[in-house]
Amino acid sequence: MQLRPILSSLRHHKLTAFLLILQTAFTCAIVINALPMIAYRIERTSTPSGVDEDCLSLAYVSGIQKNVNQQAQHATDLDALRRIPGVESVAVIGSGMPFKGGENSYGICPSASAMQEAMSAQSFDKTDCQHPDVYNGSPGFLQVMGLHLVQGSDFAEGDYSTGDVPTAILTRSLAAKLYPGESALGKTMFQGKTQIRVIGIIDDVLRPMLRDAGQDHLVMLWPQLPDDTGSTYLLRSAPGDRERILNEAKAVLVKINPNRLVPEAYQRTFAAVRHKYFQRDVTMISLLIASGLGLLFVTALGITGLANFWVQQRRRTIGIRRAIGATRGNILRYFQAENFLIVSFGIVLGILLAFALNLTLMNFYELPRLPLYYLPMGAVMLWLLGQLAVLGPALRAAAVPPVVATRSV
Amino acid sequence: MFRYYLGLGLHSLRRNPALTVLMVVLIGAGVASSMITFAALRALTADPLPQKSAQLFGPQIDNWGPANRSEDGEPPRALSYNDALALLNAHKALRQTAIYQMTLSLVPSDAKRAPFTVKGYAATEAMFAMFDVTFIDGGGWGAEDDAKGGSSVVLSRRLSQKLFGGVNSLGRSVSLGGHDYRVAGVMGDWNPQPRFYAEGSINIVSDVGDPPDFFVPFVTAVNFQLNDSWGESCVSDYKGVGWNDLLRSECVWISFWVQLPTLADVQQYKFFLDGYAAEQGRIGRFQWAPNNRLRSLLQWLDYVHAVPEETRISFLLAIGLQLVCLVNTVGLLLAKFMRRRGEIGVRRALGASRRAIYVQFLIEAGMVGVAGGLLGLLLTALGVFGMGSFFDARVARLVHIDVSLLGLTLLTSIVATVIAALYPTWRAAQVQPAWQLKSN
């Protein structure tokens, strides 16, 4: 296929060609910028939490009276919840749980000297100390959550108390951060004046809120019994039983002590917790995809519309070409090549625009620099779109009979 | 003449219905997408208190110092109890108030009804005047309750209705969080959005739309040891236990607002804040230079990113979409007009001036614009009503259709179409009659 006749023909339709190029360029620039936003959010929403998501439900109950013996209340509640058919295990947990939001972090140092350093600098930055989130609960909460111990042992029954803790279990990531290159097991950590011994390492589990990469899995487990007026019970069951168990749990909790609040909105499966945490991301993903598709659709409409117009305008020329020996394939490919050329110009301009747009957006939002591999993706998308949009008009052009050449218009 | 051109335009548009429909759809869809997102943006960036916002300022005091400061060097967003109390007692502004949010359980006096949770705020009396709170019954709790911590409460109309039915609830007793309060007033339809007044509730989507259920006196809330529902922010090595430690600590949790009517007042208040911080330095509490802020209400909203990011991004996307639609329309109109070179040639040869051609084609484009606008109106209305399934339902509740939005939709589409038609029309008017008559 020779490009020269196409180029010289386009020169006669400079402006229309330019409008098509401009439109393709805008679409290309926006799509290239939207793609990484979509990818980033999809990746975010599919982050695995590290707990057995499909088996967990959370029941929340908040007390009204003050000065209640929470521990006795917990024991009664746990006992009753365990009796619900289908409940495999249950524990009362503290405020921390993946995707629950909020923060329950403590500064912790791997050694006494690091603690000193942090104290004198009045800051944990630039020291070996870390700010992990803490997950705690009643005995057995590791098993209920479905956390996997990879080294060391679980807490002993005697470790559990409502006060300062003597022992802790770390995630792999936290252990590696605090004690790079050595085993964390058996080490003593410093939290203010308290010393905490590491007795176990678990596979990574997410913090309550997502943060920067490298910070997402800094979690330690404490054998600390929750003692707030509001209690969260974590129930483990088969996935199909969760809704029923939550309903029964609510009834059970109200029956034990009617003078408590069991708000409907806080009786939820872990899947619901996860859904709520990512709701805004999901909105954003659907918005981005919808406008991206809208843009592509509008661009395709424009290409088809103008190509149709061109075909009509050139019916005679096409007829002449057919009459002097061009095959249908020749005509078809002519229009396809023309479209390819226009879209290619659009893509080149679009890539420049995409960089400009990215730089502007970076000024206003916390967006990363545009990753280069999205450029070929955007380009391929638009080439395909262009070819698809021009196919109809090109086929119609190919169907123009040679006899048109002999007719005057 | 106008009617003749209308007729010509209609005839021409009917001759190629597919192209016409395409243009109308492009304009309608483009305008609707930007109008829907604009409505959302407008609802979320609206000034919560238009008549007062210029006078309201939120002071921030750096009581944490460089070691605990965030990367941008900004002081904490809320005040510690000590600082809030000091600013309240200083009376350096026309009015000042300290506010924090709380979630309490309410036990209805009717024992048959189940207890439920309510969300409200602790504040001082001055707040009602500062934020133009309207009342349908009673009013604030008065200076004495403010000073001595009286058990008074101001209820929302909704909560009062829920508790007492239609009857006047003034003076009745309400059991909130284990304490009994006397109803001093019932608020009218006062509900500025977003809830700028307490730091924690601005970015919380679950609080969008609803008015607060109640207000209780600040001193009373502190006496009853009622915690802030979003919790306190403390420096990382805080080891205090219990309420009294918290009051003495540098933990921040109280939002503070002052009313400063004139620029001179603002300057003076800044001066006062710096003086206060310097004084704290002299007594050894702050070991750093004063680092205070005094943001106006609108600056504050901007600073805390009260507008969700997705709203802005979607507006930008919609503008992009409309731009592409517009370029598309230019191309289609150009194609359409240039196809009628012959017709233009004949009209010109028969004596039509360039001006007449301009008018004729702009009218034709205007008709496409009106049709696109009407479609745009329909799509905008559908979009705004359907927003609940797309955006968060509570955010969507703030968005509404009014005459100005409808007018803007129609105007945008007509103006956009006419702008898109300018170049094609110019080209049409440039057609040389002789040339057209010669060929064919």
Side-chain angles (χ1 to χ4, degrees):
Chain A
M1 171 74 28
Q2 287 215 323
L3 289 181
R4 276 216 22 208
I6 300 180
L7 278 172
S8 68
S9 145
L10 280 181
R11 224 168 276 146
H12 286 288
H13 302 275
K14 264 192 237 100
L15 194 88
T16 327
F18 173 69
L19 286 174
L20 276 177
I21 290 172
L22 201 62
Q23 182 179 341
T24 320
F26 280 145
T27 308
C28 182
I30 296 175
V31 167
I32 285 179
N33 271 285
L35 279 176
M37 293 190 204
I38 298 173
Y40 165 71
R41 287 195 154 73
I42 290 183
E43 193 191 314
R44 225 175 98 88
T45 51
S46 47
T47 319
S49 63
V51 300
D52 282 346
E53 302 194 12
D54 295 337
C55 305
L56 298 180
S57 318
L58 292 91
Y60 175 81
V61 55
S62 107
I64 292 176
Q65 301 128 314
K66 292 212 159 160
N67 311 322
V68 175
N69 181 344
Q70 289 298 335
Q71 298 313 315
Q73 183 74 61
H74 288 163
T76 322
D77 288 348
L78 285 173
D79 189 48
L81 291 172
R82 242 176 237 127
R83 286 168 207 271
I84 297 176
V87 171
E88 290 163 13
S89 56
V90 55
V92 54
I93 55 166
S95 59
M97 183 79 193
F99 302 134
K100 254 188 106 180
E103 188 181 13
N104 187 27
S105 67
Y106 289 84
I108 195 135
C109 299
S111 62
S113 58
M115 187 80 214
Q116 281 301 328
E117 198 186 329
M119 294 280 251
S120 56
Q122 286 193 316
S123 164
F124 274 27
D125 300 340
K126 302 187 192 86
T127 66
D128 295 334
C129 305
Q130 298 291 336
H131 262 123
D133 269 289
V134 167
Y135 290 172
N136 62 316
S138 60
F141 76 98
L142 267 84
Q143 287 72 30
V144 183
M145 283 188 181
L147 302 175
H148 303 288
L149 211 57
V150 291
Q151 262 181 48
S153 57
D154 193 358
F155 300 118
E157 195 85 17
D159 289 347
Y160 286 89
S161 75
T162 53
D164 281 341
V165 294
T167 52
I169 294 176
L170 312 183
T171 56
R172 269 181 212 268
S173 296
L174 181 58
K177 275 243 158 122
L178 284 174
Y179 302 101
E182 47 184 333
S183 166
L185 213 59
K187 292 277 192 322
T188 302
M189 306 184 294
F190 292 80
Q191 191 232 329
K193 294 186 180 66
T194 328
Q195 301 188 5
I196 304 174
R197 199 161 46 83
V198 179
I199 61 159
I201 311 285
I202 49 163
D203 268 334
D204 277 350
V205 59
L206 269 190
R207 309 175 77 145
M209 273 165 88
L210 290 180
R211 294 157 183 254
D212 308 335
Q215 294 278 321
D216 274 348
H217 297 106
L218 302 187
V219 174
M220 57 182 165
L221 308 181
W222 280 5
Q224 192 176 47
L225 296 166
D227 204 30
D228 299 327
T229 47
S231 322
T232 305
Y233 294 102
L234 188 67
L235 301 135
R236 190 186 176 86
S237 67
D241 289 341
R242 289 176 297 175
E243 295 291 340
R244 175 184 57 82
I245 283 173
L246 274 178
N247 281 331
E248 286 183 33
K250 181 174 177 179
V252 163
L253 290 171
V254 172
K255 199 174 148 206
I256 292 174
N257 180 351
N259 238 338
R260 296 192 291 182
L261 296 174
V262 191
E264 198 63 53
Y266 292 106
Q267 318 305 317
R268 40 194 188 158
T269 61
F270 189 81
V273 176
R274 183 188 186 107
H275 176 80
K276 188 167 179 230
Y277 184 82
F278 287 118
Q279 193 179 31
R280 285 174 70 168
D281 293 277
V282 172
T283 305
M284 194 71 179
I285 291 172
S286 33
L287 262 177
L288 285 167
I289 290 181
S291 17
L293 288 179
L295 265 175
L296 292 175
F297 180 66
V298 164
T299 310
L301 276 184
I303 292 175
T304 312
L306 279 177
N308 252 331
F309 169 68
W310 270 346
V311 171
Q312 268 178 33
Q313 214 180 24
R314 297 185 204 160
R315 270 178 77 81
R316 217 175 125 82
T317 337
I318 297 168
I320 293 171
R321 281 201 64 195
R322 288 297 315 278
I324 58 174
T327 61
R328 289 198 174 166
N330 288 142
I331 305 292
L332 185 72
R333 276 192 293 281
Y334 174 88
F335 278 94
Q336 286 173 335
E338 186 187 66
N339 178 271
F340 183 81
L341 209 61
I342 291 176
V343 172
S344 302
F345 281 128
I347 288 171
V348 171
L349 188 61
I351 285 175
L352 295 178
L353 275 177
F355 277 117
L357 187 63
N358 180 238
L359 286 179
T360 326
L361 287 177
M362 268 166 60
N363 275 339
F364 291 103
Y365 306 100
E366 288 160 24
L367 282 179
R369 191 173 287 281
L370 192 61
L372 289 178
Y373 51 86
Y374 284 106
L375 302 181
M377 269 168 83
V380 168
M381 258 167 117
L382 277 155
W383 269 318
L384 284 178
L385 184 84
Q387 290 303 312
L388 211 64
V390 88
L391 191 61
L395 282 174
R396 197 170 311 161
V400 170
V403 70
V404 170
T406 62
R407 288 185 200 137
S408 66
V409 181
Chain B
M1 221 43 197
F2 186 70
R3 282 190 54 185
Y4 174 61
Y5 289 145
L6 273 186
L8 274 185
L10 213 58
H11 177 73
S12 134
L13 292 176
R14 254 199 241 130
R15 214 166 45 188
N16 200 337
L19 203 61
T20 311
V21 168
L22 185 57
M23 284 193 288
V24 169
V25 168
L26 283 179
I27 292 162
V31 168
S33 65
S34 42
M35 282 301 137
I36 294 166
T37 48
F38 169 73
L41 194 63
R42 181 183 66 166
L44 290 166
T45 48
D47 188 341
L49 278 179
Q51 67 284 15
K52 261 293 176 45
S53 57
Q55 295 186 23
L56 297 176
F57 292 81
Q60 288 168 265
I61 294 174
D62 189 356
N63 62 335
W64 284 7
N68 295 295
R69 231 174 252 162
S70 53
E71 275 170 28
D72 52 7
E74 288 293 322
R77 289 181 184 183
L79 298 189
S80 68
Y81 178 71
N82 278 323
D83 291 329
L85 211 59
L87 295 198
L88 271 183
N89 292 334
H91 290 291
K92 291 290 179 193
L94 176 65
R95 294 191 181 99
Q96 48 258 305
T97 189
I99 301 184
Y100 69 93
Q101 185 170 25
M102 52 184 68
T103 306
L104 297 177
S105 47
L106 192 153
V107 184
S109 51
D110 180 356
K112 273 178 275 180
R113 289 171 68 183
F116 54 94
T117 346
V118 284
K119 284 181 181 178
Y121 299 86
T124 64
E125 162 84 19
M127 191 254 347
F128 298 113
M130 285 173 72
F131 300 156
D132 291 339
V133 180
T134 54
F135 288 93
I136 50 169
D137 271 325
W141 39 70
E144 198 179 334
D145 279 357
D146 241 4
K148 298 208 175 110
S151 300
S152 297
V153 65
V154 166
L155 299 182
S156 71
R157 181 200 291 234
R158 198 171 64 163
L159 184 57
S160 168
Q161 190 80 27
K162 189 167 173 183
L163 288 177
F164 305 108
V167 299
N168 189 342
S169 55
L170 286 194
R172 301 276 294 262
S173 173
V174 177
S175 169
L176 266 178
H179 298 280
D180 286 335
Y181 296 81
R182 189 187 53 81
V183 178
V186 177
M187 288 182 276
D189 295 322
W190 176 85
N191 186 23
Q193 289 293 331
R195 288 198 202 176
F196 66 91
Y197 35 90
E199 201 270 312
S201 48
I202 291 180
N203 293 321
I204 305 301
V205 179
S206 62
D207 277 349
V208 169
D210 293 326
D213 294 314
F214 67 88
F215 283 96
V216 295
F218 180 75
V219 177
T220 317
V222 171
N223 286 348
F224 288 161
Q225 311 193 353
L226 303 175
N227 276 93
D228 181 81
S229 35
W230 301 112
E232 304 80 24
S233 301
C234 301
V235 289
S236 51
D237 52 353
Y238 175 66
K239 291 287 263 178
V241 180
W243 188 255
N244 288 325
D245 279 1
L246 179 65
L247 294 190
R248 280 193 295 270
S249 73
E250 296 295 352
C251 296
V252 299
W253 45 294
I254 298 168
S255 295
F256 203 89
W257 290 94
V258 292
Q259 184 180 355
L260 303 167
T262 69
L263 210 61
D265 293 338
V266 178
Q267 284 307 329
Q268 258 171 28
Y269 205 83
K270 274 186 185 151
F271 194 68
F272 157 69
L273 280 180
D274 287 343
Y276 172 76
E279 173 64 30
Q280 297 302 309
R282 272 194 292 284
I283 64 172
R285 189 173 151 223
F286 297 171
Q287 283 109 35
W288 47 86
N291 177 32
N292 305 320
R293 300 284 183 280
L294 189 62
R295 290 188 160 90
S296 74
L297 202 168
L298 294 183
Q299 287 168 336
W300 171 257
L301 288 180
D302 192 38
Y303 171 60
V304 300
H305 300 298
V307 179
E309 179 199 30
E310 53 264 40
T311 320
R312 279 190 207 280
I313 297 258
S314 59
F315 182 61
L316 286 179
L317 279 171
I319 295 280
L321 182 65
Q322 195 175 1
L323 205 65
V324 171
C325 285
L326 218 61
V327 173
N328 224 324
T329 314
V330 177
L332 294 177
L333 279 175
L334 194 66
K336 197 167 169 49
F337 290 177
M338 291 327 282
R339 235 162 82 187
R340 286 150 68 194
R341 279 201 199 106
E343 176 200 325
I344 300 167
V346 172
R347 285 204 66 214
R348 293 274 282 131
L350 291 178
S353 63
R354 285 226 164 103
R355 211 183 112 82
I357 304 288
Y358 270 120
V359 175
Q360 181 200 341
F361 282 87
L362 283 182
I363 286 178
E364 189 175 324
M367 285 163 67
V368 175
V370 171
L374 291 178
L375 180 70
L377 280 186
L378 192 74
L379 293 178
T380 306
L382 282 179
V384 170
F385 286 126
M387 204 175 266
S389 51
F390 220 110
F391 281 96
D392 188 279
R394 297 192 196 231
V395 176
R397 214 159 59 190
L398 291 178
V399 184
H400 58 275
I401 295 184
D402 55 17
V403 179
S404 67
L405 184 70
L406 297 182
L408 197 63
T409 309
L410 210 54
L411 193 72
T412 312
S413 43
I414 296 174
V415 169
T417 321
V418 169
I419 289 178
L422 280 181
Y423 182 77
T425 310
W426 181 77
R427 282 286 300 266
Q430 297 306 309
V431 166
Q432 297 297 323
W435 242 86
Q436 295 304 319
L437 298 175
K438 209 159 46 182
S439 67
N440 304 327

